[in-house]
Amino acid sequence: MISSQILSAGDHKKSIEMKNSTKKFVEEFFFQSHPFSDLTLLVQDKELHVDKSVLAVGSKVFQSYLQDETIESIEILDISANEMIELLQFLYPQFRCTINNQNVTILLILAYRFEIEFVSSACRTFLLFYLSKLEFVNKYSSDGSELIKQDDGTYLSMSSILDVLCIWFREFFYANETNTCNAILDKLSQCKVSNIDASNGFKDLEETMKWKIFRARANYLENQRQ
């Protein structure tokens, strides 16, 4: 993780309770009709009650949809309710939201999809900091899987990191964020081709993106020989 805090057992329990309480409060807000809610988002099997004005101000995509003032509902089939709520709460000032390792990937994807610039910008800042702390080390688990050290001393599997790196690269590539793409390529270039090729995230990329990753790897190896 990007940052860590040493908590006592009691503090840890309180932290979990606070998170659960906050999550319940946020869910209740969107699952129930509230004052000024005038739009329903049909997200899979759930109804989320939102405010047209809030969505139109925060999202260029929703702003375009809501040019038709008669719209009362919008159906979104390929996102879970929890994922949508994770994004929506950033649009409402009464919620205290943070970007973390667990939500940054889905926030990045949805922020670009719905064109919510302040969220995508915050995700970019978070990820650049994360990448600056990401360190590749030669450490292996008991089953032989390669591990990557985090700045808090914990380790994640190479496969899990590669998957998200490829997803981040795809999103920033589509957004023409060259500097961020290069920062991600710098990390991907340090990975073995066999590990990259086995990544599910890599397999889902377009051929142009795969070529850029392999070229970055080739350049890295060439520089290592000099």
Side-chain angles (χ1 to χ4, degrees):
M1 296 178 66
I2 295 303
S3 62
S4 61
Q5 183 178 9
I6 299 175
L7 301 176
S8 67
D11 289 338
H12 182 63
K13 182 179 179 180
K14 288 180 181 178
S15 177
I16 293 175
E17 289 174 349
M18 288 180 63
K19 288 180 180 179
N20 291 338
S21 176
T22 300
K23 181 180 179 182
K24 183 179 179 181
F25 172 68
V26 172
E27 289 178 346
E28 287 178 350
F29 177 83
F30 290 110
F31 285 148
Q32 300 175 12
S33 180
H34 52 268
F36 306 113
S37 62
D38 52 4
L39 178 70
T40 302
L41 300 182
L42 306 175
V43 185
Q44 293 186 349
D45 60 340
K46 297 288 195 304
E47 293 186 356
L48 305 181
H49 300 273
V50 295
D51 306 73
K52 290 181 180 180
S53 59
V54 174
L55 268 62
V57 169
S59 163
K60 292 182 180 179
V61 170
F62 281 118
Q63 184 182 73
S64 178
Y65 273 120
L66 296 173
Q67 293 298 316
D68 181 356
E69 297 180 359
T70 64
I71 288 181
E72 296 182 351
S73 64
I74 297 175
E75 188 172 15
I76 305 173
L77 299 176
D78 56 345
I79 301 173
S80 73
N82 286 338
E83 290 171 342
M84 197 65 201
I85 289 173
E86 192 73 55
L87 177 70
L88 287 172
Q89 61 183 314
F90 278 82
L91 301 178
Y92 286 80
Q94 64 265 46
F95 300 124
R96 295 181 60 186
C97 308
T98 58
I99 295 176
N100 53 55
N101 290 2
Q102 286 69 46
N103 66 13
V104 65
T105 300
I106 189 60
L107 284 174
L108 178 67
I109 293 171
L110 296 182
Y112 275 131
R113 173 173 174 174
F114 293 105
E115 296 184 44
I116 304 176
E117 292 181 0
F118 77 93
V119 176
S120 60
S121 177
C123 288
R124 180 174 60 252
T125 300
F126 178 92
L127 292 177
L128 285 172
F129 181 74
Y130 176 88
L131 291 169
S132 72
K133 298 293 184 180
L134 184 61
E135 177 184 359
F136 292 95
V137 294
N138 294 322
K139 186 175 178 66
Y140 298 86
S141 64
S142 57
D143 63 359
S145 301
E146 194 167 354
L147 301 176
I148 299 175
K149 186 178 181 180
Q150 307 295 282
D151 70 323
D152 65 351
T154 62
Y155 291 86
L156 294 179
S157 68
M158 173 69 78
S159 60
S160 64
I161 289 293
L162 278 173
D163 285 347
V164 295
L165 285 177
C166 288
I167 292 171
W168 298 345
F169 179 69
R170 179 194 68 201
E171 295 301 314
F172 288 116
F173 182 86
Y174 285 144
N176 293 317
E177 293 278 358
T178 303
N179 291 338
T180 311
C181 282
N182 288 339
I184 298 171
L185 284 174
D186 179 64
K187 296 302 178 182
L188 287 170
S189 70
Q190 300 174 46
C191 303
K192 298 175 183 176
V193 170
S194 58
N195 288 332
I196 295 173
D197 212 26
S199 165
N200 290 326
F202 178 79
K203 293 175 182 177
D204 291 338
L205 296 179
E206 295 178 0
E207 292 303 316
T208 301
M209 300 180 200
K210 292 180 180 179
W211 178 81
K212 286 184 176 292
I213 292 172
F214 283 141
R215 187 181 67 173
R217 175 60 177 169
N219 290 340
Y220 173 81
L221 292 175
E222 183 65 27
N223 291 334
Q224 291 295 102
R225 295 190 188 101
Q226 295 177 3

